[in-house]
Protein backbone atom coordinates (compact mmCIF):
# COMPACT_ATOMS: atom_id res chain seq x y z
CA UNK A 1 0.00 0.00 0.00
CA UNK A 2 1.30 3.47 -0.67
CA UNK A 3 0.79 7.04 0.45
CA UNK A 4 2.99 9.39 2.44
CA UNK A 5 4.34 6.69 4.72
CA UNK A 6 3.02 3.77 6.72
CA UNK A 7 2.95 3.45 10.53
CA UNK A 8 2.76 0.01 12.11
CA UNK A 9 1.25 -0.97 15.44
CA UNK A 10 -0.79 -3.76 16.98
CA UNK A 11 -4.17 -4.17 15.28
CA UNK A 12 -7.34 -5.13 17.13
CA UNK A 13 -9.98 -6.83 14.98
CA UNK A 14 -10.02 -6.99 11.19
CA UNK A 15 -11.81 -3.78 10.12
CA UNK A 16 -10.59 -1.12 7.67
CA UNK A 17 -11.33 2.63 7.45
CA UNK A 18 -10.25 5.77 5.59
CA UNK A 19 -10.83 9.24 7.01
CA UNK A 20 -9.46 12.44 8.52
CA UNK A 21 -7.73 12.47 11.87
CA UNK A 22 -9.04 14.26 14.97
CA UNK A 23 -6.65 14.39 17.91
CA UNK A 24 -7.63 14.01 21.52
CA UNK A 25 -5.40 16.50 23.30
CA UNK A 26 -3.90 15.44 26.62
CA UNK A 27 -5.22 17.07 29.78
CA UNK A 28 -3.71 20.52 30.44
CA UNK A 29 -0.70 20.61 32.77
CA UNK A 30 -1.33 22.36 36.07
CA UNK A 31 1.65 23.54 38.17
CA UNK A 32 2.15 21.32 41.25
CA UNK A 33 1.89 24.36 43.54
CA UNK A 34 -1.13 25.93 41.79
CA UNK A 35 -3.76 27.15 44.24
CA UNK A 36 -7.10 25.42 44.74
CA UNK A 37 -9.82 27.63 43.28
CA UNK A 38 -13.52 27.72 43.95
CA UNK A 39 -15.69 30.12 41.92
CA UNK A 40 -12.44 31.66 40.66
CA UNK A 41 -11.13 32.56 44.15
CA UNK A 42 -8.41 30.72 46.13
CA UNK A 43 -9.77 28.46 48.87
CA UNK A 44 -8.68 29.24 52.48
CA UNK A 45 -5.99 26.80 53.74
CA UNK A 46 -8.28 25.24 56.39
CA UNK A 47 -10.89 24.55 53.67
CA UNK A 48 -8.45 22.72 51.35
CA UNK A 49 -9.03 19.17 52.74
CA UNK A 50 -12.80 19.62 52.21
CA UNK A 51 -12.19 20.91 48.69
CA UNK A 52 -10.00 17.85 47.94
CA UNK A 53 -12.69 15.46 49.23
CA UNK A 54 -15.34 17.32 47.25
CA UNK A 55 -13.24 17.12 44.05
CA UNK A 56 -12.90 13.33 44.30
CA UNK A 57 -16.60 12.97 45.15
CA UNK A 58 -17.77 15.12 42.26
CA UNK A 59 -15.53 13.30 39.76
CA UNK A 60 -16.87 9.95 41.04
CA UNK A 61 -20.45 11.24 40.76
CA UNK A 62 -19.92 12.52 37.20
CA UNK A 63 -18.41 9.18 36.12
CA UNK A 64 -21.21 7.25 37.80
CA UNK A 65 -23.79 9.38 35.98
CA UNK A 66 -21.98 8.69 32.68
CA UNK A 67 -21.94 4.96 33.53
CA UNK A 68 -25.69 5.04 34.09
CA UNK A 69 -26.23 6.54 30.61
CA UNK A 70 -24.01 3.90 29.01
CA UNK A 71 -24.60 0.17 28.50
CA UNK A 72 -22.62 -3.08 28.50
CA UNK A 73 -18.84 -3.02 28.82
CA UNK A 74 -18.74 0.79 28.47
CA UNK A 75 -20.93 1.07 31.57
CA UNK A 76 -18.79 -1.49 33.41
CA UNK A 77 -15.52 0.31 32.72
CA UNK A 78 -17.00 3.70 33.62
CA UNK A 79 -18.23 2.31 36.94
CA UNK A 80 -14.78 0.81 37.56
CA UNK A 81 -13.20 4.25 36.93
CA UNK A 82 -15.81 5.88 39.18
CA UNK A 83 -14.87 3.38 41.90
CA UNK A 84 -11.23 4.46 41.58
CA UNK A 85 -12.27 8.10 42.07
CA UNK A 86 -14.29 6.98 45.09
CA UNK A 87 -11.49 4.86 46.55
CA UNK A 88 -11.02 5.85 50.23
CA UNK A 89 -7.36 4.75 50.23
CA UNK A 90 -6.45 7.07 47.35
CA UNK A 91 -8.35 10.01 48.85
CA UNK A 92 -6.85 9.40 52.29
CA UNK A 93 -3.32 9.39 50.89
CA UNK A 94 -3.94 12.76 49.24
CA UNK A 95 -5.44 14.18 52.45
CA UNK A 96 -2.52 12.88 54.55
CA UNK A 97 -0.06 14.56 52.19
CA UNK A 98 -2.03 17.83 52.24
CA UNK A 99 -2.17 17.78 56.05
CA UNK A 100 1.59 17.10 56.01
CA UNK A 101 2.05 20.41 54.14
CA UNK A 102 2.21 19.30 50.48
CA UNK A 103 0.44 21.55 47.95
CA UNK A 104 -2.87 19.84 46.96
CA UNK A 105 -2.16 19.42 43.21
CA UNK A 106 1.28 17.95 43.99
CA UNK A 107 -0.36 15.66 46.58
CA UNK A 108 -2.86 14.32 44.02
CA UNK A 109 -0.05 13.75 41.50
CA UNK A 110 2.16 11.96 44.04
CA UNK A 111 -0.61 9.73 45.42
CA UNK A 112 -1.76 8.72 41.92
CA UNK A 113 1.84 8.08 40.82
CA UNK A 114 2.31 5.83 43.87
CA UNK A 115 -0.77 3.78 42.99
CA UNK A 116 0.24 3.69 39.31
CA UNK A 117 3.61 2.16 40.23
CA UNK A 118 1.84 -0.52 42.29
CA UNK A 119 -0.56 -1.26 39.41
CA UNK A 120 2.32 -1.43 36.92
CA UNK A 121 4.29 -3.77 39.16
CA UNK A 122 1.24 -6.00 39.47
CA UNK A 123 1.17 -6.13 35.65
CA UNK A 124 -1.60 -7.41 33.35
CA UNK A 125 -5.12 -6.19 33.95
CA UNK A 126 -4.08 -3.77 36.69
CA UNK A 127 -1.23 -2.32 34.61
CA UNK A 128 -3.73 -1.59 31.85
CA UNK A 129 -5.97 0.23 34.39
CA UNK A 130 -3.23 2.85 34.96
CA UNK A 131 -4.79 4.93 32.17
CA UNK A 132 -8.07 5.02 34.13
CA UNK A 133 -6.21 6.06 37.26
CA UNK A 134 -4.53 8.92 35.39
CA UNK A 135 -7.87 9.99 33.96
CA UNK A 136 -9.19 10.25 37.53
CA UNK A 137 -6.12 12.34 38.41
CA UNK A 138 -6.64 14.69 35.41
CA UNK A 139 -10.29 15.20 36.33
CA UNK A 140 -9.59 15.82 40.02
CA UNK A 141 -6.74 18.23 39.22
CA UNK A 142 -8.90 20.12 36.70
CA UNK A 143 -11.64 20.41 39.33
CA UNK A 144 -9.22 21.68 41.99
CA UNK A 145 -7.66 24.17 39.57
CA UNK A 146 -11.09 25.46 38.50
CA UNK A 147 -10.65 24.23 34.91
CA UNK A 148 -13.26 22.46 32.75
CA UNK A 149 -13.13 18.64 32.89
CA UNK A 150 -10.71 17.31 30.28
CA UNK A 151 -12.56 15.64 27.46
CA UNK A 152 -12.63 14.69 23.79
CA UNK A 153 -13.64 17.02 20.95
CA UNK A 154 -17.17 16.86 19.61
CA UNK A 155 -17.09 14.98 16.33
CA UNK A 156 -18.90 16.70 13.46
CA UNK A 157 -18.10 14.17 10.71
CA UNK A 158 -16.96 10.54 10.48
CA UNK A 159 -13.46 10.69 11.90
CA UNK A 160 -10.39 8.66 12.81
CA UNK A 161 -9.71 9.46 16.48
CA UNK A 162 -6.04 9.65 17.48
CA UNK A 163 -4.77 9.80 21.06
CA UNK A 164 -1.73 9.02 23.16
CA UNK A 165 -4.07 6.69 25.02
CA UNK A 166 -7.75 6.89 25.81
CA UNK A 167 -9.30 6.35 29.20
CA UNK A 168 -12.66 4.54 29.12
CA UNK A 169 -14.34 7.73 30.23
CA UNK A 170 -12.93 9.45 27.12
CA UNK A 171 -13.86 6.56 24.85
CA UNK A 172 -17.36 6.54 26.31
CA UNK A 173 -17.67 10.26 25.66
CA UNK A 174 -17.05 9.68 21.93
CA UNK A 175 -20.00 9.48 19.58
CA UNK A 176 -18.95 6.09 18.22
CA UNK A 177 -21.35 6.39 15.26
CA UNK A 178 -18.92 9.05 13.99
CA UNK A 179 -15.72 7.17 14.85
CA UNK A 180 -14.28 5.41 11.79
CA UNK A 181 -11.28 4.03 13.70
CA UNK A 182 -9.35 4.52 16.92
CA UNK A 183 -5.56 4.86 16.88
CA UNK A 184 -3.39 5.15 19.96
CA UNK A 185 0.31 5.62 20.55
CA UNK A 186 0.21 3.63 23.81
CA UNK A 187 -2.25 1.17 25.35
CA UNK A 188 -2.39 -2.58 24.84
CA UNK A 189 -4.57 -4.87 22.73
CA UNK A 190 -6.44 -6.02 25.85
CA UNK A 191 -6.86 -2.53 27.35
CA UNK A 192 -10.17 -0.75 27.69
CA UNK A 193 -9.89 1.23 24.45
CA UNK A 194 -9.34 -1.97 22.52
CA UNK A 195 -12.17 -3.77 24.35
CA UNK A 196 -14.64 -0.97 23.71
CA UNK A 197 -13.56 -0.61 20.08
CA UNK A 198 -14.01 -4.37 19.63
CA UNK A 199 -17.42 -4.30 21.30
CA UNK A 200 -18.56 -1.62 18.85
CA UNK A 201 -16.91 -3.09 15.76
CA UNK A 202 -14.61 -0.03 15.41
CA UNK A 203 -11.24 -0.83 13.77
CA UNK A 204 -8.48 -0.10 16.26
CA UNK A 205 -4.68 -0.04 16.18
CA UNK A 206 -2.70 0.49 19.40
CA UNK A 207 1.03 0.99 20.07
CA UNK A 208 1.57 3.25 17.02
CA UNK A 209 4.75 5.26 17.58
CA UNK A 210 4.49 8.77 16.10
CA UNK A 211 0.73 8.71 15.46
CA UNK A 212 0.05 11.70 17.73
CA UNK A 213 2.41 13.83 15.64
CA UNK A 214 -0.03 13.77 12.68
CA UNK A 215 -1.65 17.14 11.97
CA UNK A 216 -5.39 17.48 12.55
CA UNK A 217 -7.29 16.65 9.33
CA UNK A 218 -4.57 14.38 7.84
CA UNK A 219 -6.32 11.56 5.97
CA UNK A 220 -5.23 8.05 6.97
CA UNK A 221 -6.09 4.54 5.77
CA UNK A 222 -6.39 2.03 8.63
CA UNK A 223 -6.10 -1.75 8.33
CA UNK A 224 -6.64 -3.37 11.75
CA UNK A 225 -5.83 -6.90 10.50
CA UNK A 226 -2.26 -5.89 9.66
CA UNK A 227 -2.00 -3.10 12.28
CA UNK A 228 -0.96 -0.62 9.55
CA UNK A 229 -1.91 3.02 9.04
CA UNK A 230 -1.19 4.64 5.64
CA UNK A 231 -0.77 8.42 5.77
CA UNK A 232 -2.59 10.27 2.93
CA UNK A 233 -3.36 7.03 1.03
CA UNK A 234 -3.32 7.32 -2.77
CA UNK A 235 -6.06 5.91 -5.04
CA UNK A 236 -4.46 2.45 -5.17
CA UNK A 237 -4.18 2.23 -1.39
CA UNK A 238 -7.81 3.35 -0.99
CA UNK A 239 -8.97 0.79 -3.56
CA UNK A 240 -7.03 -1.97 -1.75
CA UNK A 241 -8.69 -1.05 1.55
CA UNK A 242 -12.16 -0.94 -0.04
CA UNK A 243 -11.54 -4.39 -1.55
CA UNK A 244 -10.53 -5.69 1.89
CA UNK A 245 -13.72 -4.31 3.44
CA UNK A 246 -15.81 -6.01 0.73
CA UNK A 247 -14.00 -9.28 1.31
CA UNK A 248 -14.52 -9.18 5.11
CA UNK A 249 -18.24 -8.53 4.53
CA UNK A 250 -18.42 -11.45 2.09
CA UNK A 251 -16.56 -13.77 4.47
CA UNK A 252 -19.04 -13.01 7.27
CA UNK A 253 -21.92 -14.24 5.09
CA UNK A 254 -20.73 -17.85 5.46
CA UNK A 255 -22.20 -19.08 8.73
CA UNK A 256 -21.74 -22.84 8.29
CA UNK A 257 -19.99 -24.89 11.00
CA UNK A 258 -16.19 -24.92 10.76
CA UNK A 259 -14.79 -27.66 8.52
CA UNK A 260 -11.91 -28.36 6.16
CA UNK A 261 -12.50 -28.54 2.38
CA UNK A 262 -13.05 -32.31 2.66
CA UNK A 263 -15.59 -31.94 5.47
CA UNK A 264 -13.44 -32.72 8.51
CA UNK A 265 -15.10 -30.71 11.34
CA UNK A 266 -13.13 -28.13 13.37
CA UNK A 267 -15.52 -26.48 15.81
CA UNK A 268 -15.35 -22.66 15.69
CA UNK A 269 -16.08 -21.07 19.08
CA UNK A 270 -16.00 -17.60 20.65
CA UNK A 271 -14.00 -16.23 23.60
CA UNK A 272 -16.08 -14.13 26.00
CA UNK A 273 -15.58 -12.35 29.34
CA UNK A 274 -18.97 -10.90 30.25
CA UNK A 275 -22.68 -11.66 30.16
CA UNK A 276 -23.05 -8.98 27.47
CA UNK A 277 -20.43 -10.68 25.32
CA UNK A 278 -22.54 -13.86 25.55
CA UNK A 279 -25.74 -12.00 24.71
CA UNK A 280 -24.12 -10.50 21.61
CA UNK A 281 -23.51 -14.03 20.31
CA UNK A 282 -27.26 -14.68 19.96
CA UNK A 283 -27.30 -14.25 16.18
CA UNK A 284 -23.66 -15.16 15.61
CA UNK A 285 -22.32 -18.10 13.65
CA UNK A 286 -20.10 -19.12 16.59
CA UNK A 287 -20.80 -22.77 17.39
CA UNK A 288 -20.54 -21.96 21.09
CA UNK A 289 -18.13 -20.50 23.60
CA UNK A 290 -14.69 -22.09 23.89
CA UNK A 291 -13.43 -19.82 26.67
CA UNK A 292 -15.52 -17.87 29.16
CA UNK A 293 -12.92 -15.89 31.16
CA UNK A 294 -14.93 -15.70 34.38
CA UNK A 295 -12.38 -13.55 36.22
CA UNK A 296 -13.83 -10.52 34.40
CA UNK A 297 -16.85 -10.85 36.77
CA UNK A 298 -14.46 -10.72 39.75
CA UNK A 299 -12.16 -7.88 38.67
CA UNK A 300 -12.28 -4.54 40.44
CA UNK A 301 -14.18 -5.98 43.41
CA UNK A 302 -13.14 -5.93 47.03
CA UNK A 303 -14.88 -9.27 47.70
CA UNK A 304 -15.69 -12.20 45.44
CA UNK A 305 -19.26 -12.09 44.08
CA UNK A 306 -21.62 -14.28 46.15
CA UNK A 307 -22.82 -17.68 44.95
CA UNK A 308 -26.20 -16.09 44.16
CA UNK A 309 -24.63 -13.27 42.11
CA UNK A 310 -22.46 -15.74 40.22
CA UNK A 311 -25.39 -18.08 39.61
CA UNK A 312 -27.41 -15.21 38.10
CA UNK A 313 -24.56 -14.19 35.76
CA UNK A 314 -23.78 -17.75 34.60
CA UNK A 315 -27.48 -18.49 34.07
CA UNK A 316 -27.75 -15.49 31.73
CA UNK A 317 -24.69 -16.67 29.79
CA UNK A 318 -26.05 -20.22 29.41
CA UNK A 319 -29.50 -18.93 28.38
CA UNK A 320 -27.93 -16.62 25.77
CA UNK A 321 -26.14 -19.57 24.18
CA UNK A 322 -29.21 -21.86 24.20
CA UNK A 323 -28.09 -25.37 23.42
CA UNK A 324 -24.67 -24.36 22.11
CA UNK A 325 -21.58 -25.58 23.99
CA UNK A 326 -20.17 -23.24 26.68
CA UNK A 327 -16.71 -23.91 28.13
CA UNK A 328 -16.36 -22.02 31.41
CA UNK A 329 -12.92 -21.42 32.84
CA UNK A 330 -12.77 -21.20 36.61
CA UNK A 331 -11.17 -18.14 38.15
CA UNK A 332 -7.72 -17.38 36.70
CA UNK A 333 -6.58 -14.86 39.32
CA UNK A 334 -2.92 -14.09 39.93
CA UNK A 335 0.02 -13.00 37.74
CA UNK A 336 -1.42 -10.69 35.04
CA UNK A 337 -4.89 -10.78 36.67
CA UNK A 338 -4.35 -10.20 40.43
CA UNK A 339 -7.42 -9.90 42.67
CA UNK A 340 -7.23 -8.32 46.12
CA UNK A 341 -9.18 -11.12 47.84
CA UNK A 342 -7.33 -13.93 46.06
CA UNK A 343 -3.75 -12.64 45.98
CA UNK A 344 -3.30 -10.51 49.11
CA UNK A 345 0.50 -10.81 49.35
CA UNK A 346 2.76 -9.59 46.53
CA UNK A 347 4.88 -12.35 44.96
CA UNK A 348 8.40 -12.04 43.58
CA UNK A 349 7.54 -14.02 40.43
CA UNK A 350 3.74 -13.97 40.23
CA UNK A 351 3.55 -15.76 36.85
CA UNK A 352 5.29 -18.72 38.52
CA UNK A 353 3.40 -18.43 41.78
CA UNK A 354 -0.08 -18.97 43.15
CA UNK A 355 -2.26 -18.29 40.11
CA UNK A 356 -5.16 -20.06 38.42
CA UNK A 357 -6.01 -23.49 39.82
CA UNK A 358 -3.23 -23.16 42.44
CA UNK A 359 -5.49 -20.76 44.41
CA UNK A 360 -7.19 -23.89 45.71
CA UNK A 361 -4.20 -24.18 48.07
CA UNK A 362 -4.76 -20.75 49.65
CA UNK A 363 -8.43 -19.82 49.16
CA UNK A 364 -10.27 -23.08 48.41
CA UNK A 365 -13.68 -21.49 49.00
CA UNK A 366 -13.32 -19.45 45.79
CA UNK A 367 -13.31 -22.59 43.64
CA UNK A 368 -15.96 -24.29 45.75
CA UNK A 369 -18.36 -21.35 45.47
CA UNK A 370 -17.76 -20.96 41.77
CA UNK A 371 -18.39 -24.64 41.00
CA UNK A 372 -21.54 -24.52 43.15
CA UNK A 373 -22.80 -21.48 41.22
CA UNK A 374 -21.99 -23.06 37.85
CA UNK A 375 -23.84 -26.25 38.74
CA UNK A 376 -26.87 -24.24 39.92
CA UNK A 377 -26.83 -22.10 36.78
CA UNK A 378 -26.65 -25.28 34.70
CA UNK A 379 -29.78 -26.63 36.45
CA UNK A 380 -31.64 -23.31 36.18
CA UNK A 381 -30.94 -22.87 32.48
CA UNK A 382 -31.07 -26.53 31.45
CA UNK A 383 -27.50 -26.24 30.07
CA UNK A 384 -24.71 -28.79 30.48
CA UNK A 385 -21.67 -26.53 31.06
CA UNK A 386 -18.14 -27.72 30.36
CA UNK A 387 -15.85 -26.48 33.14
CA UNK A 388 -12.08 -26.25 33.03
CA UNK A 389 -9.33 -25.12 35.38
CA UNK A 390 -6.51 -22.78 34.30
CA UNK A 391 -2.78 -23.21 35.00
CA UNK A 392 -2.83 -26.94 35.74
CA UNK A 393 0.62 -28.57 35.78
CA UNK A 394 0.03 -32.19 36.83
CA UNK A 395 -2.43 -35.02 36.34
CA UNK A 396 -2.96 -35.05 40.13
CA UNK A 397 -4.25 -31.48 39.92
CA UNK A 398 -6.48 -32.47 36.99
CA UNK A 399 -7.86 -35.38 39.05
CA UNK A 400 -8.53 -33.17 42.08
CA UNK A 401 -10.25 -30.53 39.95
CA UNK A 402 -12.46 -33.13 38.25
CA UNK A 403 -13.40 -34.56 41.65
CA UNK A 404 -14.32 -31.10 42.97
CA UNK A 405 -16.41 -30.33 39.87
CA UNK A 406 -18.21 -33.69 39.98
CA UNK A 407 -18.76 -33.19 43.72
CA UNK A 408 -20.50 -29.89 42.96
CA UNK A 409 -22.76 -31.65 40.44
CA UNK A 410 -20.98 -30.76 37.20
CA UNK A 411 -20.62 -33.43 34.52
CA UNK A 412 -18.06 -32.40 31.87
CA UNK A 413 -14.63 -31.45 33.19
CA UNK A 414 -11.39 -30.32 31.59
CA UNK A 415 -8.19 -28.40 32.16
CA UNK A 416 -6.23 -25.82 30.24
CA UNK A 417 -2.86 -26.87 28.91
CA UNK A 418 -0.75 -23.76 29.49
CA UNK A 419 2.23 -25.22 31.34
CA UNK A 420 4.73 -27.35 29.35
CA UNK A 421 4.55 -30.04 32.07
CA UNK A 422 0.85 -30.57 31.31
CA UNK A 423 1.51 -30.80 27.57
CA UNK A 424 4.32 -33.33 28.06
CA UNK A 425 2.06 -35.41 30.32
CA UNK A 426 -1.13 -34.82 28.28
CA UNK A 427 -1.88 -38.54 28.12
CA UNK A 428 -1.97 -38.78 31.93
CA UNK A 429 -3.92 -35.52 32.21
CA UNK A 430 -6.50 -36.77 29.70
CA UNK A 431 -6.86 -39.89 31.82
CA UNK A 432 -8.42 -37.65 34.49
CA UNK A 433 -10.64 -35.22 32.55
CA UNK A 434 -12.97 -35.23 29.53
CA UNK A 435 -11.20 -32.58 27.46
CA UNK A 436 -8.31 -30.11 27.40
CA UNK A 437 -7.92 -26.63 25.92
CA UNK A 438 -4.52 -25.22 24.95
CA UNK A 439 -3.95 -21.68 26.22
CA UNK A 440 -1.24 -20.78 23.76
CA UNK A 441 -0.70 -17.30 25.26
CA UNK A 442 0.59 -18.81 28.48
CA UNK A 443 1.99 -21.96 26.87
CA UNK A 444 4.27 -19.70 24.77
CA UNK A 445 5.18 -17.66 27.87
CA UNK A 446 6.16 -20.73 29.90
CA UNK A 447 7.79 -22.67 27.04
CA UNK A 448 9.92 -19.75 25.95
CA UNK A 449 10.52 -18.41 29.50
CA UNK A 450 9.30 -15.01 28.28
CA UNK A 451 7.00 -12.67 30.20
CA UNK A 452 3.91 -12.26 28.02
CA UNK A 453 3.62 -8.62 29.10
CA UNK A 454 7.06 -7.58 27.77
CA UNK A 455 6.42 -5.99 24.36
CA UNK A 456 10.12 -6.01 23.46
CA UNK A 457 10.30 -9.84 23.65
CA UNK A 458 7.37 -10.63 21.35
CA UNK A 459 9.65 -12.48 18.90
CA UNK A 460 10.32 -15.12 21.57
CA UNK A 461 6.70 -15.22 22.69
CA UNK A 462 5.53 -16.04 19.15
CA UNK A 463 3.21 -19.09 19.05
CA UNK A 464 4.91 -20.01 15.75
CA UNK A 465 8.01 -20.95 17.77
CA UNK A 466 8.56 -24.60 16.80
CA UNK A 467 9.03 -25.55 20.48
CA UNK A 468 5.54 -24.27 21.29
CA UNK A 469 4.08 -26.14 18.32
CA UNK A 470 5.81 -29.37 19.43
CA UNK A 471 3.91 -29.16 22.71
CA UNK A 472 0.63 -28.46 20.90
CA UNK A 473 1.33 -31.48 18.69
CA UNK A 474 2.05 -33.74 21.68
CA UNK A 475 -1.20 -32.65 23.36
CA UNK A 476 -3.25 -33.15 20.19
CA UNK A 477 -1.77 -36.65 19.69
CA UNK A 478 -2.70 -37.59 23.26
CA UNK A 479 -6.24 -36.32 22.59
CA UNK A 480 -6.54 -38.40 19.42
CA UNK A 481 -5.29 -41.53 21.19
CA UNK A 482 -7.76 -41.02 24.04
CA UNK A 483 -10.58 -39.88 21.67
CA UNK A 484 -10.98 -36.70 23.73
CA UNK A 485 -11.39 -33.15 22.42
CA UNK A 486 -8.35 -30.87 22.36
CA UNK A 487 -9.17 -27.20 21.70
CA UNK A 488 -7.08 -24.05 21.38
CA UNK A 489 -8.38 -20.86 23.00
CA UNK A 490 -5.27 -18.62 22.99
CA UNK A 491 -4.91 -15.70 20.56
CA UNK A 492 -3.07 -17.94 18.07
CA UNK A 493 -6.39 -19.55 17.07
CA UNK A 494 -7.49 -16.23 15.52
CA UNK A 495 -4.66 -16.24 12.95
CA UNK A 496 -6.05 -17.97 9.82
CA UNK A 497 -2.63 -19.42 8.89
CA UNK A 498 -2.01 -20.75 12.42
CA UNK A 499 -5.59 -22.11 12.48
CA UNK A 500 -4.69 -24.35 9.51
CA UNK A 501 -1.56 -25.57 11.29
CA UNK A 502 -3.52 -26.28 14.49
CA UNK A 503 -6.15 -28.21 12.54
CA UNK A 504 -3.33 -30.15 10.87
CA UNK A 505 -1.85 -31.01 14.27
CA UNK A 506 -5.19 -32.58 15.24
CA UNK A 507 -6.82 -29.83 17.32
CA UNK A 508 -10.62 -30.32 17.35
CA UNK A 509 -11.86 -26.78 18.14
CA UNK A 510 -10.60 -23.21 17.83
CA UNK A 511 -11.87 -20.41 20.07
CA UNK A 512 -11.27 -16.71 19.37
CA UNK A 513 -12.79 -13.22 19.48
CA UNK A 514 -15.99 -13.40 17.41
CA UNK A 515 -14.71 -10.93 14.78
CA UNK A 516 -11.91 -13.34 13.84
CA UNK A 517 -14.23 -16.29 13.06
CA UNK A 518 -15.13 -15.56 9.38
CA UNK A 519 -11.51 -15.43 8.16
CA UNK A 520 -10.60 -18.62 10.03
CA UNK A 521 -13.73 -20.39 8.70
CA UNK A 522 -12.77 -19.32 5.17
CA UNK A 523 -9.16 -20.51 5.53
CA UNK A 524 -10.28 -23.95 6.75
CA UNK A 525 -12.79 -24.34 3.94
CA UNK A 526 -10.05 -23.77 1.34
CA UNK A 527 -7.81 -26.64 2.58
CA UNK A 528 -8.26 -30.37 3.03
CA UNK A 529 -7.26 -32.13 6.22
CA UNK A 530 -4.25 -33.63 4.43
CA UNK A 531 -3.17 -30.14 3.29
CA UNK A 532 -3.51 -28.87 6.89
CA UNK A 533 -1.28 -31.76 8.03
CA UNK A 534 1.32 -30.84 5.43
CA UNK A 535 1.20 -27.18 6.59
CA UNK A 536 1.66 -28.32 10.20
CA UNK A 537 4.69 -30.33 9.03
CA UNK A 538 6.20 -27.18 7.48
CA UNK A 539 5.70 -25.17 10.68
CA UNK A 540 7.18 -27.92 12.88
CA UNK A 541 10.18 -28.42 10.60
CA UNK A 542 11.03 -24.68 10.44
CA UNK A 543 14.17 -23.38 12.11
CA UNK A 544 12.31 -20.53 13.77
CA UNK A 545 8.96 -18.78 14.12
CA UNK A 546 9.39 -16.30 11.26
CA UNK A 547 10.49 -18.87 8.69
CA UNK A 548 7.72 -21.23 9.84
CA UNK A 549 5.02 -18.66 9.23
CA UNK A 550 6.51 -17.65 5.84
CA UNK A 551 6.76 -21.28 4.73
CA UNK A 552 3.10 -21.83 5.61
CA UNK A 553 2.05 -18.56 4.00
CA UNK A 554 3.82 -19.51 0.77
CA UNK A 555 2.07 -22.89 0.70
CA UNK A 556 -1.56 -21.91 1.40
CA UNK A 557 -4.29 -21.03 -1.07
CA UNK A 558 -3.36 -17.50 -2.37
CA UNK A 559 -6.65 -15.98 -1.15
CA UNK A 560 -5.84 -17.18 2.36
CA UNK A 561 -2.26 -15.90 2.17
CA UNK A 562 -3.74 -12.46 1.38
CA UNK A 563 -5.81 -12.36 4.59
CA UNK A 564 -2.92 -10.63 6.39
C1 LIG B 1 -4.02 -18.43 27.27
O1 LIG B 1 -3.15 -18.38 28.17
O2 LIG B 1 -3.77 -18.70 26.07
C2 LIG B 1 -5.43 -18.17 27.60
C3 LIG B 1 -6.38 -18.36 26.71
O3 LIG B 1 -5.70 -17.65 28.83
P1 LIG B 1 -5.43 -16.12 29.25
O4 LIG B 1 -5.03 -15.36 28.02
O5 LIG B 1 -6.72 -15.63 29.83
O6 LIG B 1 -4.35 -16.28 30.27
MG1 LIG C 1 -3.77 -18.34 30.20
Amino acid sequence: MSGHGVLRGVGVGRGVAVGPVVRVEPAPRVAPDAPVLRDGAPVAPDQVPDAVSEAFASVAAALTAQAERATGTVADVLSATAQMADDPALRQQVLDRVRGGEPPIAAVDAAVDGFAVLFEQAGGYLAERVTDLRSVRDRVVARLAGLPAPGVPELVEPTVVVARDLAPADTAALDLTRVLALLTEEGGPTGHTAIIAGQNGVPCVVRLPGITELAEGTVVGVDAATGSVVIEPDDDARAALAAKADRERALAEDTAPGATADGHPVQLLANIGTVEDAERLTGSAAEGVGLFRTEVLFLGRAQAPTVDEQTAAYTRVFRALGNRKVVVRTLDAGADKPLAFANPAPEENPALGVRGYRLVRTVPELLHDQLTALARAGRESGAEPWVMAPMVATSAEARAFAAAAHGAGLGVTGVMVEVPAAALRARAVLGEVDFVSLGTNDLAQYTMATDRLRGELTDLLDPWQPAVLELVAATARAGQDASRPVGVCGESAADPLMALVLAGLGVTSLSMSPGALPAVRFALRRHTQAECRALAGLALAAADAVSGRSAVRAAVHPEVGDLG
Side-chain angles (χ1 to χ4, degrees), residues 291 293 295 329 332 336-337 355 416 418 438-443 452 489-491:
L291 171 63
R293 289 183 162 103
E295 55 278 356
R329 176 174 76 186
D332 187 20
D336 60 322
K337 310 166 190 105
R355 69 165 285 202
M416 290 190 74
E418 312 187 90
L438 287 141
T440 47
N441 306 334
D442 276 314
L443 187 61
R452 70 191 260 193
C489 61
E491 299 311 309

Side-chain angles (χ1 to χ4, degrees), residues 27 54 60 82 130 133 217 223 226 242 249 262-263 326 370 434 483 518 549:
E54 186 278 334
V130 167
L133 194 59
D223 181 349
T226 57
R249 267 192 293 278
D262 51 341
V326 181
Q370 190 172 24
D434 304 306
S483 301
R549 190 169 202 275

